Amino acid sequence: MTLEINKTYFLAFVIALLCLPIIRRPTKGLCNIPTMGPSGFLFAIYNSICFLVRGRAMIDEANAQFASFGMFKMQFFSGWNVFVLSKEYIADLRGSRDKDLSLYHAQNDILALDYTIGAVPADEDDLHNKILQRMLASNFSENGVDLYDESVRTLAEIFPVEHDGWHSVTCYKNILHLVTRVTNRFYVGEPLCRDPKYISLVMDFVQGVPKAGMLINLFSYFLRPFVGPYISPLPRYERLATEVIGDILRYRISMFEKHGKNWELKPRDMITWLLEEAEPYQRDPTHIAMRLLRVNFAGLMSTSFFLPQVLYKLAASPEYVGPLREQIDSVVDKYGWTKEGISKMYRIDSFIREVSRLKGFSALVLHRKVMNPEGFKFHDGITIPQGTHIAAASCVVNVNEDTFENSDRFDGLRFARLQEEADDVNMKHQLTSPAMNNLFYGVGKHACPGRFLMTFIIKIQVALILHNYDIKVKDDVLPKDRWLGAICMPDMNAELLYRKRHI
């Protein structure tokens, strides 16, 4: 996702500022929480711009000032945000009820979901989670081989070897293509997962939704119903999705109507699960097509940002290549490229988790909006009023000295050693095991339901690349991360150098 400042964004920003309503002072419950930065109408605009440019640094600065209090607040032009710094308060968020704190409404305020993907609140329509959980429970193990097959095919295309020397590839755009194809081998199967028009549509959706959402949200709440429909990309995506996969979906709907759940030749993919779990009014080509795009967006944006970070760090850290390859080769000899085999590669998992600890996709997790009219009460009585956004500063928890030894230093085998020392068959030190010191996928009942699939896909890409290629960064310089607010983005134009593995 390239977020260049252009004339359209600048003009929209100016118009939005002119139309902003006067922002209220902190209501009861926020007054006693320390404030980062100035407050007031004009200062809220200033804070918003500053946080967009240097959000991660501002969180670190706030932690240095307010760590003893455990939280702080900032006023943006969209309202007040409370950022939680301590594990005790994060534990309160972990145990919260959906009707008190809403993920959907928080995301809607950030990405204008009503106008960008047309989603409805999860508590009104939980079909997405039901489908994903059902697929992962019944389909994941047998599809591990399929994901391996699609990974090998796609890697051969984006990392072609034409000679014995070093080759160069633009990492981000090729990784996005890679994870889109592999993920959709699981979602929709072949040959659709390789259809250039379908893959292009998914990639455009993943990158286009955040851009449109940010643009719409530059306008104040009372203006969005008027400007949102004009900026919204939703009609275009609905039209394109129906054009690209409409015929396939109409055929599948007709087969379902004819045979029901007893169709013996039905494909084991997300389309089948959507048809079987959906209400009758949801069984139309446009509705199902948009469901597929939404599911892709949920997993691909974060994965396409995070996997390049892992590869850059690995390419710049040759001291880890030997230990990781040693385990890869040993596991493949015994288990092959199976789901069980990938789960045994705990050194790769350790390296990936360490990257997530110090970088990750976002400096904030558990982003929620307070929906309860009585507010959200923490264990010590502090009450956050309705309408306020709350998020946990995982970037702070991840580097606490009381959580990890030498917490500010990268140690790619940190969790592998813990795994070996504990000899823990439950793999509690792996990335997919949410905990108060492992917030990459959230924690508690709010943990991401797709974390097993996405972690498997990340691990198998790293394993295959190490198994088949040597990699390094250009000019031996690690590409710089680019922070947009709390989001950590890889350098979109950075190149990864590779060659066929020299054994």
Side-chain angles (χ1 to χ4, degrees):
M1 179 181 63
T2 304
L3 295 170
E4 301 290 346
I5 297 178
N6 53 41
K7 293 181 180 179
T8 302
Y9 278 71
F10 179 75
L11 179 61
F13 186 67
V14 171
I15 295 173
L17 293 186
L18 295 175
C19 297
L20 279 171
I22 299 298
I23 300 176
R24 297 174 300 168
R25 295 188 61 81
T27 55
K28 185 178 181 180
L30 290 182
C31 294
N32 295 326
I33 299 174
T35 304
M36 178 68 177
S39 60
F41 171 63
L42 293 179
F43 288 121
I45 299 170
Y46 170 79
N47 290 341
S48 300
I49 296 173
C50 288
F51 193 82
L52 188 68
V53 175
R54 52 188 304 272
R56 170 63 192 269
M58 293 182 74
I59 295 173
D60 291 337
E61 292 167 7
N63 182 57
Q65 297 181 53
F66 310 124
S68 60
F69 194 89
M71 68 175 71
F72 69 98
K73 67 178 184 289
M74 286 190 70
Q75 186 182 24
F76 300 138
F77 62 70
S78 59
W80 285 94
N81 284 249
V82 173
F83 300 116
V84 173
L85 302 171
S86 73
K87 291 182 180 179
E88 291 75 18
Y89 290 130
I90 295 176
D92 293 334
L93 299 181
R94 176 182 60 184
S96 65
R97 300 177 300 178
D98 293 336
K99 66 179 182 180
D100 294 332
L101 299 179
S102 170
L103 170 61
Y104 169 81
H105 288 93
Q107 291 179 333
N108 191 33
D109 286 349
I110 298 171
L111 295 174
L113 300 182
D114 292 340
Y115 303 104
T116 54
I117 67 176
V120 295
D123 56 358
E124 294 180 17
D125 182 3
D126 62 352
L127 183 59
H128 168 83
N129 284 339
K130 286 170 59 179
I131 296 301
L132 193 56
Q133 290 168 359
R134 178 176 172 182
M135 287 190 69
L136 292 172
S138 63
N139 223 26
F140 191 21
S141 296
E142 64 188 62
N143 277 10
V145 176
D146 291 340
L147 296 179
Y148 163 73
D149 174 69
E150 201 61 40
S151 299
V152 171
R153 288 171 178 263
T154 312
L155 283 170
E157 294 178 16
I158 66 175
F159 289 134
V161 176
E162 300 173 350
H163 50 75
D164 291 335
W166 290 96
H167 302 65
S168 177
V169 62
T170 303
C171 192
Y172 169 72
K173 70 176 184 179
N174 283 284
I175 291 301
L176 175 58
H177 180 85
L178 170 66
V179 296
T180 300
R181 271 187 52 171
V182 175
T183 303
N184 279 277
R185 177 67 179 266
F186 182 78
Y187 286 164
V188 300
E190 52 183 344
L192 184 55
C193 68
R194 299 186 201 115
D195 185 311
K197 291 183 179 180
Y198 175 71
I199 294 301
S200 177
L201 170 63
V202 172
M203 291 172 60
D204 182 66
F205 188 80
V206 169
Q207 298 175 93
V209 165
K211 292 180 183 179
M214 290 182 64
L215 183 57
I216 293 171
N217 282 340
L218 286 175
F219 294 87
S220 57
Y221 289 107
F222 78 92
L223 281 178
R224 290 175 195 172
F226 302 100
V227 301
Y230 291 98
I231 300 175
S232 173
L234 186 58
R236 180 173 70 89
Y237 286 130
E238 290 178 339
R239 175 178 54 81
L240 288 174
T242 305
E243 290 176 359
V244 172
I245 57 176
D247 290 342
I248 294 173
L249 295 177
R250 278 186 281 271
Y251 169 74
R252 296 285 293 273
I253 292 170
S254 68
M255 289 295 99
F256 179 81
E257 291 175 346
K258 181 179 181 179
H259 301 284
K261 296 183 179 181
N262 298 320
W263 182 24
E264 293 183 0
L265 299 178
K266 65 183 178 184
R268 294 176 61 81
D269 60 18
M270 183 165 283
I271 298 174
T272 293
W273 268 261
L274 283 169
L275 290 173
E276 292 184 348
E277 296 287 348
E279 299 295 332
Y281 74 91
Q282 296 172 322
R283 296 189 192 115
D284 72 84
T286 300
H287 188 97
I288 295 175
M290 291 308 298
R291 284 278 184 185
L292 292 173
L293 290 181
R294 291 171 196 155
V295 172
N296 272 283
F297 175 77
L300 292 183
M301 188 177 77
S302 57
T303 305
S304 64
F305 281 2
F306 180 59
L307 182 51
Q309 294 176 5
V310 175
L311 294 177
Y312 291 149
K313 186 63 178 179
L314 185 57
S317 308
E319 66 272 20
Y320 291 103
V321 172
L324 297 185
R325 277 180 172 165
E326 179 185 18
Q327 188 172 74
I328 293 169
D329 295 342
S330 174
V331 167
V332 171
D333 287 344
K334 185 173 182 180
Y335 298 97
W337 292 96
T338 61
K339 179 177 178 291
E340 182 182 10
I342 299 300
S343 70
K344 301 291 184 181
M345 298 180 187
Y346 59 84
R347 291 179 185 172
I348 285 182
D349 192 285
S350 174
F351 189 93
I352 295 170
R353 182 178 169 186
E354 184 72 348
V355 175
S356 78
R357 185 179 72 85
L358 293 177
K359 293 186 179 182
F361 167 66
S362 176
L364 301 171
V365 297
L366 298 176
H367 197 165
R368 301 292 188 269
K369 183 176 182 177
V370 180
M371 304 304 296
N372 192 324
E374 298 181 1
F376 176 76
K377 183 178 290 187
F378 286 100
H379 66 276
D380 58 357
I382 292 178
T383 301
I384 309 301
Q386 183 183 27
T388 308
H389 281 229
I390 304 178
S394 56
C395 62
V396 171
V397 177
N398 289 343
V399 294
N400 280 346
E401 285 294 337
D402 61 347
T403 304
F404 299 107
E405 184 179 355
N406 298 318
S407 60
D408 60 343
R409 181 173 64 87
F410 183 87
D411 181 355
L413 297 179
R414 178 189 303 272
F415 302 105
R417 290 193 300 273
L418 292 174
Q419 193 73 49
E420 291 166 354
E421 293 168 3
D423 191 25
D424 184 5
V425 295
N426 293 319
M427 304 296 185
K428 72 176 183 179
H429 298 292
Q430 295 207 4
L431 183 62
T432 52
S433 299
M436 297 302 292
N437 64 356
N438 183 21
L439 297 169
F440 183 68
Y441 286 118
V443 69
K445 66 179 182 179
H446 301 294
C448 173
R451 65 187 183 276
F452 299 101
L453 172 63
M454 303 319 298
T455 299
F456 179 86
I457 289 174
I458 293 171
K459 288 176 67 174
I460 200 169
Q461 308 318 316
V462 176
L464 281 168
I465 289 172
L466 278 180
H467 189 68
N468 295 304
Y469 303 97
D470 295 323
I471 58 174
K472 66 178 183 178
V473 291
K474 189 175 182 179
D475 300 324
D476 296 323
V477 177
L478 183 67
K480 292 184 178 180
D481 301 320
R482 298 183 178 182
W483 287 86
L484 185 72
I487 303 298
C488 183
M489 302 186 300
D491 186 334
M492 302 295 183
N493 300 313
E495 296 179 353
L496 186 70
L497 302 183
Y498 70 94
R499 69 182 180 187
K500 187 174 182 180
R501 178 182 174 183
H502 287 194
I503 300 178

